[in-house]
Amino acid sequence: MVNENPFKSILKTLEKPGGEFGKYYSLPALNDPRIDRLPYSIKILLESAIRNCDEFQVKSNDVEKIIDWENTAPKLVEIPFKPARVLLQDFTGVPAVVDLACMRDAMNNLGGDSNKINPLVPVDLVIDHSVQVDVARSENAVQANMELEFQRNKERFAFLKWGSNAFQNMLVVPPGSGIVHQVNLEYLGRVVFNTNGLLYPDSVVGTDSHTTMIDGLGVAGWGVGGIEAEAAMLGQPMSMVLPGVVGFKLSGKLRDGVTATDLVLTVTQMLRKHGVVGKFVEFYGEGMSELSLADRATIANMSPEYGATMGFFPVDHVTLQYLKLTGRSDETISMIESYLRANRMFVDYSEPQIERMYSSYLALNLEDVEPCISGPKRPHDRVPLREMKADWHACLDNRVGFKGFAIPKESQSKVAEFSFRGTSAQLRHGDVVIAAITSCTNTSNPSVMLGAALVAKKACELGLEVKPWIKTSLAPGSGVVTKYLEKSGLQKYLNQLGFNIVGYGCTTCIGNSGDIDEAVASAITENDLVAAAVLSGNRNFEGRVHPLTRANYLASPPLVVAYALAGTVGIDFETEPIGVGKDGKKIFFRDIWPSNDEVAQVVHSSVLPDMFKATYQAITKGNPMWNQLSVPSGTLYAWDSKSTYIHEPPYFKSMTMSPPGPHGVKDAYCLLNFGDSITTDHISPAGSIHKDSPAARYLMERGVDRRDFNSYGSRRGNDEVMARGTFANIRLVNKLLGGEVGPKTIHISTGEKLSVFDVAMRYKSEGRDTVILAGAEYGSGSSRDWAAKGPMLLGVKAVIAKSFERIHRSNLVGMGIIPLCFKPGEDAETLGLTGHECYSIDLPSNVSEIRPGQDVTVVTDNGKSFACTLRFDTEVELAYFDHGGILQYAIRNLIHTNH
């Protein structure tokens, strides 16, 4: 049903010397004074609504809601949003392509044209996240790790290569090219699209929560679950609540010795405290001119850690300079600037600024930022460097929690003696065993990468060394980093300290840190030591970096090098030496730390546009290992039932043309009973596959050797593995077990303690539904679709929580799971719920009788009943629930449209 766009009268032509760039929907042509005062990020939503308005999926009323943002945003109104493109990364891209292949089969079975299942918007799929650090401290680490990855992941890579041929409108960037977010920033980001002569702002939703990195380039982008991304790929508008926008004013300039990472950790803590979940944050003020594009991207990247949907930096001259640096053509840059100026979406700080409306305001003078790190368990627990030693000792004392390990006083100075490759060695609480320059956050930023290299140079010249048992690694986000580290002549110093390049992709930050040496691992476990990892990543949740590092600190790349040299996090850099130099002289932190001017000079002379052009020209040609992969032709995938990587999931089994309608819950047992801050890392399978887990059992039954288990991430295309890995996190605290830590639960009717998967399967075989009880911020962290798909496959029908993180709640809806919120001031404990009850939730069988956000009553078998808020937030979400999920809705919709 395609209607004429009611806004066609504001379609204008954008002229250029000697011709035209194309046509565009002109916001100034609406002559509405409210538009000029809108935040820039809201203008992007407005333009999308106007351009896509058909009075069916997007209505004139939706456009008016956005224009009247000042009045409508506080009321949490719903709007549809159609992003300009979708970004998939390897691990999350595989299930998306699996689901597309499955949908083709389902379409075929229902008598529709299966070839209609194609992405309707451009899809960029970057194969990254595939670097397990098996080989470190070696000149040939990149090649060796890459060969291992191709051996382990050949099947997955071949499947994606098949997808790039089978589906139209899908670009696949081969493995070894870099981290998806950096490739997006340096190469894929359009800023402004020109599609068949129609100009419009670039906007993107991606299947990784750090998609927000692109906000630093003035492109509106954020992470969604794979489920939402698939719907967007299929032309469904994303239903979202029109967000509030926090205006964040920056002034001043960073002091000498302060890095972009220090700024990011400061901003993260400020915004977490302010409360920005579900909101946009938009940066402005005269301090903007002091922030390079890479600094902005570093702040934008951390949006999930401070909880915002976006951390947005509108396009200005700094953006245009970066586009030039990264090899975009003069013609393209001219088109981008002309379009954004014409549509009043460009910020020119040389002109008087119109005062914009924001929902709330924050301000930071950059001069107030000081060196810091964050940890030991959460990204927003910032510790100023000067307080770090005292804070570390407090963490050893404190009771077990986000800032505590409860180590008895008499054990805190314990020294574990061990032998490392024939040499005697010692380990203490707080000793560093992993030091990694990793992840998208920092590896796009030349100032901190070259800053780390300068620290290495000074340290080497003074004769400092890193202890050989510390696992050191450097994983740049793109090949450009290697080029400028080599051009500067500094890579050799990083190598000398063991920071060899191990590959281009996410490594330690995603849990791919590889094994710690067995002697070190034994010393940690046998002495119950709190060992530390220091990484330049963005996530340090428990159990994520490595099972044996209980303390994990986020730090700038130069600080990662400094802590590797010190060998412990329990050091006061101000007063204690970092080590002893070659002449027996004590070397202090200040002796190896570069000035901002030193860093700026190296950046200026070493980071050149040709490096970006050469790197990304090579990407499009692939690499020998990728090019040699042979893949089947044909648009329907030939499923291999023996495959442990790619498996046809059961989502569409016995699907009919009629929607199944809403479902309530009757006499359901509680599968798990949680407290606050359960992250998607706790729920979703991530990191290595434990040898005693249900997933390991499944793989061994199919003849997979333990050394070939690979990671959960690499097996995301196999629902059998992923269902078994759901809630398999070793740090899970389940109240049904009385506070015991580990991936087990109680089978209520027998009292048996088993793995979560085994209990869930037993309930399924008994025909019994299950629910989950949880505290605040359930599902915070990465936008993992398996955190919703896994529970659905385990038979979970509802989650009752104090509050949900935005993406996870919508993913639960997409998989047909009912999200319910306790009433304010209530939770399982105040209501006297133990989790040993049976739960019933009565919902009408006709979807038209359900309203978004209505109250529903939950009744237990021991006579308790309490009201909850039904967290289907929009009419569209209710439609998904009626159809049994978002993908089923999309298939039925496509068939109806084609008929």
Side-chain angles (χ1 to χ4, degrees), residues 64-79:
E64 171 55 28
K65 283 179 193 171
I66 302 172
I67 292 175
D68 199 33
W69 171 83
E70 185 177 16
N71 297 311
T72 53
K75 296 174 185 162
L76 303 178
V77 301
E78 168 204 350
I79 59 156

Side-chain angles (χ1 to χ4, degrees), residues 663-666 818 840-845 854-859:
H663 64 81
V665 175
K666 185 153 178 60
I818 304 167
S840 294
I841 304 159
D842 192 23
L843 283 179
S845 56
Q854 76 176 51
D855 279 2
V856 297
T857 303
V858 182
V859 180

Side-chain angles (χ1 to χ4, degrees), residues 506-709:
C506 294
T507 52
T508 305
C509 187
I510 193 73
N512 281 357
S513 42
D515 290 336
I516 292 175
D517 185 273
E518 277 183 30
V520 178
S522 298
I524 294 168
T525 51
E526 286 163 17
N527 295 279
D528 196 26
L529 291 180
V530 182
V534 183
L535 63 151
S536 68
N538 39 33
R539 294 276 164 80
N540 54 344
F541 301 129
E542 283 186 280
R544 178 186 177 100
V545 171
H546 191 282
L548 296 181
T549 58
R550 278 194 271 165
N552 301 285
Y553 285 94
L554 306 181
S556 66
L559 272 178
V560 171
V561 178
Y563 273 109
L565 290 160
T568 177
V569 295
I571 182 174
D572 179 350
F573 280 140
E574 195 69 34
T575 60
E576 296 177 87
I578 208 163
V580 178
K582 53 190 169 195
D583 53 4
K585 186 178 154 208
K586 289 178 178 176
I587 308 296
F588 286 84
F589 180 78
R590 55 185 167 271
D591 300 325
I592 61 170
W593 200 257
S595 71
N596 288 10
D597 281 347
E598 283 178 89
V599 174
Q601 282 172 17
V602 179
V603 170
H604 182 72
S605 61
S606 307
V607 185
L608 307 169
D610 285 352
M611 295 175 177
F612 292 89
K613 283 180 181 161
T615 300
Y616 288 108
Q617 276 166 358
I619 272 184
T620 53
K621 297 190 178 94
N623 59 57
M625 286 184 272
W626 171 259
N627 294 339
Q628 283 158 22
L629 278 179
S630 61
V631 298
S633 56
T635 57
L636 289 175
Y637 189 69
W639 302 99
D640 176 2
S641 58
K642 295 189 192 72
S643 172
T644 57
Y645 277 99
I646 308 296
H647 183 263
E648 184 178 10
Y651 311 138
F652 309 114
K653 292 275 189 281
S654 68
M655 180 178 164
T656 61
M657 277 302 294
S658 305
H663 64 81
V665 175
K666 185 153 178 60
D667 294 334
Y669 276 132
C670 175
L671 182 63
L672 294 147
N673 182 4
F674 292 130
D676 295 345
S677 294
I678 289 294
T679 70
T680 48
D681 277 17
H682 289 113
I683 308 167
S684 178
S688 57
I689 297 171
H690 194 275
K691 65 180 187 342
D692 300 323
S693 65
R697 204 165 63 219
Y698 170 87
L699 292 170
M700 286 189 290
E701 283 165 4
R702 277 148 191 80
V704 178
D705 195 277
R706 191 184 154 197
R707 69 170 182 272
D708 296 322
F709 278 2

Side-chain angles (χ1 to χ4, degrees), residues 670-674 727 732 734 736 744-745 756 771-774:
C670 175
L671 182 63
L672 294 147
N673 182 4
F674 292 130
F727 298 113
L732 211 62
N734 174 13
L736 290 177
K744 290 192 161 35
T745 194
V756 177
V771 299
I772 287 169
L773 297 178

Side-chain angles (χ1 to χ4, degrees), residues 774-827:
E777 294 183 345
Y778 182 75
S780 54
S782 299
S783 55
R784 297 187 187 280
D785 52 337
W786 274 110
K789 285 178 173 176
M792 185 275 282
L793 291 172
L794 294 182
V796 173
K797 299 298 181 193
V799 179
I800 310 172
K802 280 174 78 172
S803 63
F804 292 93
E805 190 85 353
R806 175 186 66 87
I807 299 172
H808 184 61
R809 185 204 61 81
S810 89
N811 281 351
L812 291 173
V813 172
M815 293 314 294
I817 294 174
I818 304 167
L820 293 171
C821 274
F822 290 110
K823 287 294 174 185
E826 293 185 348
D827 60 19

